[in-house]
Amino acid sequence: MTDDELAAWKARKDAGRARAYEAEVKTATLLRDHPEAIDGFRVFCARMGGFYSIRNCMRIYGQNPNVAHVQPRRFWGGYGFNREVTDPNAAIWIVAPKVERTFTKEVKNERTGQTEEVEDSYKVWPIEDIYPSAATAPKGGPCVFCNGPEGEPCPDSCPVRQPQSGPPPTREDVAEAVADVLKKLGGFDASVLTTLGPDPMRDGYGDPYETPGVRWGTISVTTGATNRSGKPRKRSYRFLHTVDLDRPGVRYAIAGLGVIWISPYELRNDTGNGHAAVTIQYGDDVPAADRHWDSRFHKEGPHAPVLNGITFAGTSLVYPHEERWRWFSPNRAGYGEVTEGAAEKMGQILRQLLPHYRGLVEFDAIEEAGFRKRAARRAREADHEAKRLAEREQELAEQRADAEQRAADHRHQAANPNEL
C-alpha cells in the first residue's frame, strides 16, 4: 500500500467512525425524546439476528433505519453467502469488539544507557463497514435461494433480503445503552419505562418472544489446511431448508455450495422410524429433456453442489443410524465417482444436515408421506403383477383348452381306426 493509498484508507476509516458515532447519538436522542419508540427499536435489534450489540444496532439504525439484513463484506463474500458487494457506497459503519494486544518492545534505559525489553499493550475499538443485502449480488452462479441471476441484486422476496429471526433485548438493556451514549449530553431517565405498559415481547414467565423472520442454519467443513496456530481451518456455510410433502423431502439451499435434497428412501419396507435409509440428491431435479439414456451418466441439475472443483450429481443412499456406515459412493457429473477428499467433505456436511433433518417438527409428516408414496408405488407394482398373472392365466387356460381338445381328438382316433 502506497503512502497515498494508506492516507486514503485512514481518511475513509476516520469518516466512517465519525458517521457511526453521529448515528449512535442520533438514535439515542430519538429514543430519549420518544421513549414509546423503544419497543420498535427492540424489534429492529432482534431482526439483526443477534449479530450486533445494542449500540451497534443504534449505529445501524441511525444510518439506515429500513435495512433488513447486514453483514461484513468478507462474510457476504466467502464465509457465509458467496455474494459480492455491488454498491460500496451503501456501507454502514459500526464499531467492532475491542481488541487488546500485548507485545514486547526494546526501550533504552536512560539511567543505565542499556537497551531493555519491556512489555507494553494497547486497546482499540476497530471501525468496520458492513453492507445491506440489497447492495449485494450472487457470484459464481444464480442465487440458490431465489434463483436470481449472477451479478444482479436479488428481488425483495429473496430470503437474503428478509429480516432475520431473533430475541429482542430488554427495555432495561436499551435504556442502559441510551444512558451510556448520552451520559455527556444529559443522560437518560430510565423511570419512563414504567409508562410504557406491559412488555409485548415477553411472555408471562419473562422469556422473550422471537421476532418473525428468516432463521439461518450454519454448517462447517474442515478443509485440511491449518492456520497460524496449527489448528485446522474451517469453512462455514449458511443454509435454509424447505419442506416438500408432495415429493416428499427437504431441500437444503446452501450458500456457496449448492442444493442438497434429503428424502425417505422409496424402496424401503418400514413404516418410517427415522433409522432407515434416506436418499441424498445433489442439486435440483434434472429437466426431463436433459436426462441421459445411460444410467451410468449423471447429468447435473440446477444448483448442483461443487466441492474441490468437482460437481456432484445424481443420488446416493445413506443409512444415518449406523455409526460406521460405509461411504455411499457419491457420483460426479458425467461418469464416475468423486474423489476421496471431496467425498469426505461432503460427508462432513451430511453429518450435520441429517440430524437437522431428523429434528424437524415436520419429520413425522415427511416419514408418513414417504410411507404413503411407497405404499402407492407397491400398489402399482402389485397391480402390474396381478395383470401379468391374469394374462398368464388366460394364456394357460387357452393352452389347457387346446391340450384337452387334442386329447379328445386322439381318443376318438384310437377308438375309430377306420376313420384314419
Side-chain angles (χ1 to χ4, degrees):
M1 185 179 292
T2 65
D3 291 342
D4 289 342
E5 291 173 338
L6 180 61
W9 177 82
K10 289 182 177 179
R12 183 173 181 269
K13 288 284 188 175
D14 291 340
R17 188 182 302 275
R19 183 177 175 185
Y21 284 120
E22 179 184 356
E24 181 183 36
V25 173
K26 175 183 174 182
T27 303
T29 303
L30 170 68
L31 297 177
R32 180 196 63 189
D33 297 341
H34 301 278
E36 69 277 5
I38 287 178
D39 285 342
F41 175 72
R42 292 168 63 207
V43 172
F44 180 85
C45 293
R47 289 182 173 177
M48 293 294 102
F51 281 101
Y52 305 104
S53 66
I54 296 175
R55 291 186 62 170
N56 269 334
C57 285
M58 294 167 69
R59 295 164 185 142
I60 296 170
Y61 187 86
Q63 295 173 73
N64 188 345
N66 298 315
V67 74
H69 187 182
V70 287
Q71 298 286 357
R73 182 192 291 267
R74 66 179 182 277
F75 197 91
W76 284 129
Y79 295 112
F81 286 95
N82 204 44
R83 301 174 73 83
E84 59 183 348
V85 173
T86 57
D87 183 7
N89 295 323
I92 296 172
W93 294 91
I94 62 171
V95 178
K98 180 174 65 174
V99 174
E100 299 186 38
R101 293 287 185 269
T102 300
F103 60 94
T104 301
K105 64 180 181 179
E106 293 184 347
V107 177
K108 184 177 181 180
N109 189 320
E110 298 295 339
R111 185 175 60 85
T112 64
Q114 299 294 320
T115 300
E116 301 176 352
E117 287 189 350
V118 298
E119 285 193 351
D120 200 353
S121 64
Y122 67 87
K123 300 177 183 179
V124 64
W125 282 262
I127 190 71
E128 184 175 17
D129 49 341
I130 58 178
Y131 297 85
S133 55
T136 68
K139 67 177 181 180
C143 177
V144 296
F145 306 111
C146 71
N147 210 37
E150 177 184 0
E152 304 224 355
C154 292
D156 292 341
S157 58
C158 179
V160 175
R161 299 282 299 269
Q162 304 304 309
Q164 300 171 84
S165 174
T170 65
R171 290 171 172 172
E172 290 74 17
D173 288 341
V174 173
E176 182 179 351
V178 172
D180 286 343
V181 175
L182 300 178
K183 61 185 175 183
K184 295 182 180 180
L185 301 173
F188 176 70
D189 183 7
S191 65
V192 299
L193 299 181
T194 60
T195 67
L196 299 182
D199 189 341
M201 284 177 276
R202 291 188 176 268
D203 59 23
Y205 298 98
D207 297 323
Y209 294 116
E210 286 201 355
T211 57
V214 177
R215 187 186 299 275
W216 294 93
T218 303
I219 55 178
S220 61
V221 176
T222 301
T223 62
T226 58
N227 55 25
R228 292 181 180 178
S229 63
K231 296 181 179 179
R233 290 184 181 273
K234 290 188 176 182
R235 165 98 187 253
S236 295
Y237 297 91
R238 304 300 296 277
F239 71 86
L240 288 179
H241 74 277
T242 305
V243 176
D244 185 345
L245 293 179
D246 292 328
R247 186 182 187 103
V250 180
R251 181 183 189 264
Y252 286 95
I254 309 171
L257 179 67
V259 170
I260 293 176
W261 282 89
I262 302 181
S263 306
Y265 179 43
E266 281 192 11
L267 300 181
R268 73 194 207 199
N269 296 314
D270 61 283
T271 59
N273 57 14
H275 296 302
V278 293
T279 299
I280 307 295
Q281 177 177 310
Y282 304 103
D284 287 316
D285 294 336
V286 177
D290 294 336
R291 292 174 189 163
H292 201 273
W293 61 269
D294 188 345
S295 61
R296 297 170 298 173
F297 183 88
H298 302 280
K299 174 70 176 177
E300 70 271 21
H303 304 298
V306 179
L307 276 174
N308 290 12
I310 296 174
T311 301
F312 284 65
T315 61
S316 295
L317 198 60
V318 175
Y319 293 85
H321 68 290
E322 296 183 8
E323 293 184 2
R324 295 184 60 193
W325 42 285
R326 182 181 177 275
W327 188 247
F328 46 94
S329 301
N331 298 296
R332 65 195 307 162
Y335 291 95
E337 299 177 358
V338 305
T339 63
E340 182 178 349
E344 191 275 332
K345 288 184 180 179
M346 183 60 74
Q348 294 183 47
I349 292 170
L350 294 183
R351 287 288 194 186
Q352 295 169 77
L353 291 183
L354 287 170
H356 182 278
Y357 168 75
R358 294 195 298 271
L360 292 172
V361 295
E362 303 94 342
F363 179 72
D364 288 342
I366 296 171
E367 289 284 282
E368 291 171 3
F371 178 69
R372 287 193 297 270
K373 186 173 183 179
R374 293 192 295 274
R377 179 185 180 124
R378 289 192 169 85
R380 292 193 298 271
E381 292 172 348
D383 286 340
H384 176 76
E385 181 67 8
K387 181 179 179 181
R388 187 188 68 80
L389 291 174
E391 292 173 350
R392 179 60 176 163
E393 186 178 50
Q394 177 64 29
E395 180 183 350
L396 290 173
E398 293 175 355
Q399 292 177 1
R400 177 182 176 183
D402 180 65
E404 290 176 345
Q405 182 61 49
R406 284 187 282 106
D409 291 344
H410 292 318
R411 283 194 295 270
H412 179 77
Q413 292 171 2
N416 301 280
N418 295 330
E419 295 182 4
L420 294 176

